[in-house]
Amino acid sequence: MKEVIKLENVKKIYYSEGVQTKALDGISFSIKEGEKVSIIGPSGSGKSTLMHILGLLDKPTSGKIYIEGKDPSILNDDELTYLRGKKIGFVFQNFNLTPSLTAIENVMLPLMFYDVDYKKRYEKAKSLLEKVGLGDRLDYYPSQISGGGKQRVAIARALINDPSIILADEPTGDLDTKTGHEVLEIFDKLNHEGKTLVIVTHDPSIAKKSPRIIGILDGKIEFDKTQKKR
């Protein structure tokens, strides 16, 4: 299988009032097409910074990242936006939904930047909401939907451009145990369909559901292990 994500000695340093903080300190690993990987670490370990770099939302101070063999550092802004929008789907802990838009409008939103006509946007968003079990909530606003429902909307939105990679940052952090389990089952189905899935979490019980776990501590890889299939 081909590598869809590759990091080479990635470092990220933040500067504030003359103080240097090293968030990532020489991270190197690769993820192959169709893998399901959990990145685990305590608060302040650097895992969220790593997620932002994986998602091309931030740039490393030094080192290289490649997405499906492409080096984002040599792309112009339009090319970078296209790569990020087409290849990567994001699911965040706090959902990041637009309150003034309905569920289906939130899911349709990313397609507006790619000149897809309204009917096609609507039909695709409707199909994805049905896929995640929200076919009866198309015209509900986020305030009218439960936490688990909001995360399902966010997952549908992440899938709207048919990305090959799904990045989920603490996707069950604001959910109760039962709802969190249901959301993780959706991720499992997506992975079985061939999506590459990377989940950032601080919860060992979530991480252990992935065949591969990368542990981050103080900006470095503490371990990278593959679990035996049960």
Side-chain angles (χ1 to χ4, degrees):
M1 290 185 290
K2 68 178 182 180
E3 291 178 340
V4 293
I5 297 173
K6 185 176 182 179
L7 277 72
E8 295 179 344
N9 197 29
V10 166
K11 298 182 180 181
K12 183 65 180 181
I13 300 172
Y14 295 103
Y15 298 92
S16 178
E17 298 179 353
V19 178
Q20 174 180 301
T21 302
K22 194 174 288 187
L24 297 177
D25 188 10
I27 299 288
S28 298
F29 63 78
S30 61
I31 295 174
K32 292 182 179 179
E33 184 178 34
E35 270 198 278
K36 180 186 178 185
V37 181
S38 283
I39 297 175
I40 188 168
S43 178
S45 61
K47 62 185 188 300
S48 291
T49 299
L50 177 58
M51 177 63 90
H52 280 79
I53 288 176
L54 290 175
L56 309 181
L57 297 173
D58 201 356
K59 297 178 181 179
T61 304
S62 63
K64 288 285 189 179
I65 176 170
Y66 299 91
I67 301 295
E68 294 193 349
K70 292 184 172 63
D71 179 359
S73 68
I74 65 173
L75 303 180
N76 62 38
D77 288 346
D78 288 341
E79 291 170 333
L80 183 61
T81 298
Y82 185 87
L83 178 64
R84 185 168 55 226
K86 284 292 186 179
K87 296 297 183 182
I88 302 170
F90 299 93
V91 180
F92 300 98
Q93 177 178 350
N94 59 358
F95 320 125
N96 283 11
L97 300 179
T98 302
S100 60
L101 300 180
T102 62
I104 195 163
E105 289 170 339
N106 266 285
V107 177
M108 291 166 60
L109 191 59
L111 285 181
M112 292 179 64
F113 303 104
Y114 296 98
D115 297 322
V116 179
D117 69 59
Y118 180 85
K119 184 177 180 182
K120 288 182 179 178
R121 295 202 310 266
Y122 186 92
E123 290 302 322
K124 189 168 186 180
K126 180 174 180 285
S127 175
L128 286 170
L129 283 169
E130 289 171 347
K131 181 176 183 175
V132 299
L134 281 182
D136 59 345
R137 298 287 191 273
L138 304 184
D139 297 319
Y140 283 51
Y141 290 92
S143 62
Q144 300 172 308
I145 303 174
S146 67
K150 290 186 182 76
Q151 196 60 293
R152 289 169 188 262
V153 175
I155 292 170
R157 182 185 57 191
L159 295 171
I160 195 71
N161 280 320
D162 196 27
S164 55
I165 302 165
I166 303 293
L167 302 180
D169 192 359
E170 300 283 6
T172 63
D174 284 346
L175 307 178
D176 61 68
T177 302
K178 179 177 180 296
T179 305
H181 180 72
E182 292 170 353
V183 167
L184 291 175
E185 286 185 339
I186 293 174
F187 284 133
D188 280 340
K189 289 178 182 177
L190 294 172
N191 182 238
H192 290 152
E193 292 170 6
K195 300 291 185 187
T196 303
L197 183 61
V198 182
I199 299 176
V200 165
T201 183
H202 68 278
D203 187 341
S205 67
I206 292 173
K208 72 179 183 181
K209 297 179 186 297
S210 296
R212 180 180 173 196
I213 306 175
I214 299 174
I216 303 293
L217 185 65
D218 297 331
K220 297 182 179 182
I221 293 180
E222 185 181 24
F223 60 83
D224 184 346
K225 64 182 181 181
T226 300
Q227 303 190 100
K228 292 180 180 179
K229 292 183 179 180
R230 296 178 180 178

